[in-house]
Amino acid sequence: MITINRVKQNIGLYFLVLPALIYVIMFDYVPLYGVLIAFENFKPIKGIWGSDWVGLYHFARFVHLDVFWVLIKNTLSLSLYSLIAGFPIPIILALALNSVTSKKFKKVVQTVTYAPHFISTVILVGMLNVFLSPRLGVVSQLLNSIGLTKGPLMTLTNPDAFSHLYVWSGIWQGMGWGSIIYLAALSGVDPSLHEAAKVDGATKFQQAWYIDLPSIMPTIVTLLILSCGNILGVGFEKAFLMQNSLNLSTSEVISTYVYKSGLLQSQFSFSAAVGLFNSVINLVLLLTVNKLAKKLGQNGIF
Amino acid sequence: MKNGVRRSKADVVYDTVNIAFLTLLLMIVLYPLYFVVIASFSDPSAVGTGKVILFPKGFNLNGYDLIFKYKQLWIGYRNTVLYTIGGTALSVSLTLMTAYAFSRKDMVGRGFIVMLFIIPMFIHGGLIPTYLLVRKLHMIDNPLTVIILGCVSMWNIIITRTFFQSTIPQELFEAAKIDGCGNIGYFFKVVLPLSKAIIAVLVVFSAVGQWNSFFNALIYLNDRNLIPLQLVLREILSSQTQMMQQLELGIGDQDMAQKTFLAESVKYGIIIVSSLPILCIYPFAQKYFVKGVMIGSLKG
Amino acid sequence: MKSRVSKFLSCIMSIALIGGTLIACSDAKQNEGVMPSSEGNLLDGGITNATGFPITKEPITLTVGIANGAHMGDVTQYNLWKKIEEKTNIKINLKVYSDAEKANLMFSSRDYPDIGLRMDASDQAMSDAIDAGDIVGIDNLLQYTPSWKKFFDTNPELKKQALMPDGKLYGFPYAVLNETSYNLRDQWFINKKWLDELGLQIPTTTDEFKNVLMAFKNNAGKGSIPKNVIPYYILYGNNIGGQFDIYGAFGVYTPGSYFIVEDGKYKSQATNPDLKEPIKYLADLYKNGLIVPEAFTDDWGRYTAAISSIPPLVGSMTSFGDQGQNVSDGKWWTPIAPLKSPNGKNPLIRRQTKSIWPRNYVIFKNNKYPVASARLAELLADPEWSLTENFGSEGVWWKNSSDGKYELLSPTTEVADADKALGNYGIALLDEDMFNNKIVNDNFKKEGTREWAYENIYKKYLPEKNLNYPPMPSGLLSDEEKQRMTDLSKSLNDYIKTTIANWISGKGDIDAEWDAYVKKLKDLGLDEYMQLNQKQLDAASKLGHE
């Protein structure tokens, strides 16, 4: 009874959710039967309901691949590295920008750091290759001319360098974009807190550390949880474009493998199975981290 | 007032380090951006062989020529602008409404509904059933399709909800309720005016997302008059890989390598042509990241 | 408005068809159309003339699906469609599939056009559609297409490429058989200007080649040799511009993969110990800085940038196309014959497979005018129509010369979309006889063209037998076998590619590691992979013999 009353009281909230809910049911849940593709030998002509059922065959195929553990290792290490190195930087950038007094300088830095988001992956990787080209690249020429290295720069062919290139070029491209949400959150900080802190003689660093950072903590935690839910989701395009025959031992990740083996023949079912495998692990990770966050006294995402 | 407060020594150090750090970042980001610009005016073989460093080499406008000669380009621009405006309006409204409801702890069944939204972030039916559905709804070749598909982003909803939870105190609603304000009235009259910053963020996220998207248009639009800019540019670029395949099979004509080469020179120009307009929306959005909005409205 | 209605109708139709109930009934109808009906000689339900033009007695419209070739411009503007309509009474309504994904979805939803030209859907999609009876077999229609019938009858090897696993034909092919194009993979170029400046001869052996490259490197910065010269450019592992012609110089034939077919037997060159010698040679070039590290990192774009840099940056490379016209100031590049190696074996250059695009014109079962459609395919097999289809409009790309031959033209100004060619996105029939006897191509006389190089240099170095893996239809193996083959192919070829790259770049010692490498390939399932390929090969060779 009480529940019904509480529903009635807040009936407006349900109206607010309704349009999005209709969308989700219509375009996410109605086509959901497509996951069946992962469990059959799907043939487009036969349709999803008419193709032969093979159960977990494609999952077994994936897990038994010779390179399975290599793929898992490469994928995990890339995304953990991206997370550890890449997650804090937009926060630092936002905090640093927030304490800049010159409005003009702030605006310039903000806008410029955001621009790389618009560089397509093809161009990004293209530039990496041009800059780091073993002999003709600007980096190689520079290092050789000041005598730091002798001979060609082997960064691109070095399997150990791959993850650094991948992660740091990603940070270069994404830090400004990533800081947007934190800058917005920082604008919600009550200025009177800063005024009071100043009166107490707090330095700017202390203000950033004790006022700004805690006040954006909910946003940080939310984004951290969301990132953990994407740990196996290393996208294929960039890794694929950065691959060469000498760095394949570290640059082959789940998505590039699936993409390339799909090229050899249409492998709807195999890619669906691997996708589902990734999703389930990601979802479990998300739920775990979410629970952990709640235990630590933060708001989870649900 | 602020300038009146004397800066402590620690602050001077902090400011200096801060400015130096940001200036360094600025440089690191700026050079590759500058490179994109000069590369778009340079001879592609000079770019490919590391001769373009500080200034364009073999200055030419061939790349831009090829892009602007493309008849579809302006139609594409027009469509993209329309889709971006429509898509952004729809997506931002849905996100705000849903996120606000999700931010209210007193909503019965919230956990269940949120879970309902989260599952599709991970598990989805894939392209084929979605295509069959869109076809059944007669939404092929309908511009609304590219506006509607993808208009609900759970990621955006979650961060918006976090913003609401951490910036708009629950007590405010209790106060408004006493004034006879219902949930919907409160949302429009109180919550939205207080949320300019997050609205600005959502506009940037959705507009940029919609501007850069091409996949739905590729699948669901056949009519050449409806295709967006990114698809036009993709057509210009895809010649490169296609001709490569042709050459691999050895059935291509003789000067294909030459044409491939032109495609290479177009790559950089395309980035500039496609992103300059949308790049400009962020500086406008920044205006709304102003401190103290909260306080002012509370007092008023 | 009308098109919307028909779209709606075809939509309803195909939804109904998913049930599969209409398949049998439409098959029956199709046979009715093929057989001459009682009233006169009209077919397709009284519309189509069996011979003569126009093809149909009243105007009809056929929807034609085609992939979007980016180099083709706006394909809907082509004059070809107008010419077809004037001649045949058939109006072509083009449906362009701008992406392979889209073509695959078309198959998934069975929302077919009447005729499919090249659509770039996956082979699997095509063969599944054939299995499901969605594509009309053309064996019964060949009576209306004498040119194609003759083509298949006189070219049994090519017909084999076109047969599906059930031994039947399901499409009209793009058959443009230009020997200079298909029989040679890459030309091998050397920088003649640098040779002349240094007073060196064109190298004929691998040792001489190395000496020449050394000279290029040692004279960097002198004359027209730039400081950052790339003596020998390879795009490692790539079919075009890769290292495979060096293997050929040592008598080891590798078509671009490490697997060949000799007398019907599937063979691995990856485990052939003869491969050690050329790899050591390449490693030596690399160690001496004659092959640069970029060989392993460059992509296609930078490969073209490097080989067509003006002034040239490269001393020698291999490339499909001509490099003559890339450099305007004087003659830089000259093609060279494959080099002789110290082991005394006959040097080889790679060839491609003589092949057709077997299903570039398929008739879907919803097409109400199969005979008219077949007759349209026949029209396109006519020499002049084929020239227009393959090269472009008459008067722009080719013309009739006085002696009844056809002269190819090279337009100097930009060509309008209307005059462009479909090439291998459509069908054409231009066989060797056409190219050898009827098409006048000046390039054969011009030094520096591919045609000239083929005739004068490469022809005699081609391996006598074609050792390439022949094209074959999908569907000869079971789904499980195919999937297994895909997985094996990926892991084996990756391992081969990476290991050989390591040897060439000096990260490993081939002599010490060879046995372990061969063992690892076996562990990865090389034998199983070979057996599966052999099985597929055997099944393909049996096609058409039942």
Side-chain angles (χ1 to χ4, degrees), chain C residues 199-212:
Chain C
L200 296 166
Q201 295 295 310
I202 292 175
T204 58
T205 68
T206 47
D207 291 339
E208 285 172 26
F209 185 61
K210 185 187 165 189
N211 291 337
V212 164

Side-chain angles (χ1 to χ4, degrees), chain A residues 244-246, chain B residues 244 248, chain C residues 186 232-245 247 254-258 282 291 294-298 300 303 318 350 493-494 496-498 500-501 504:
Chain A
N244 58 53
S245 3
L246 290 173
Chain B
M244 168 111 182
E248 293 269 5
Chain C
D186 283 358
Y232 178 42
Y233 193 100
I234 59 170
L235 185 60
Y236 172 77
N238 203 55
N239 199 7
I240 304 171
Q243 78 282 22
F244 300 102
D245 286 317
Y247 301 161
T254 45
S257 81
Y258 288 87
L282 286 164
I291 294 174
E294 281 92 332
F296 301 102
T297 61
D298 276 359
W300 179 251
Y303 160 74
T318 57
R350 286 175 302 153
N493 284 310
D494 278 353
I496 296 168
K497 202 173 171 184
T498 324
I500 293 180
I504 294 176

Side-chain angles (χ1 to χ4, degrees), chain B residues 152-167:
Chain B
V152 173
S153 151
M154 192 52 192
W155 200 92
N156 283 352
I157 292 175
I158 290 173
I159 56 167
T160 310
R161 191 200 53 171
T162 305
F163 181 91
F164 286 147
Q165 275 174 345
S166 56
T167 55

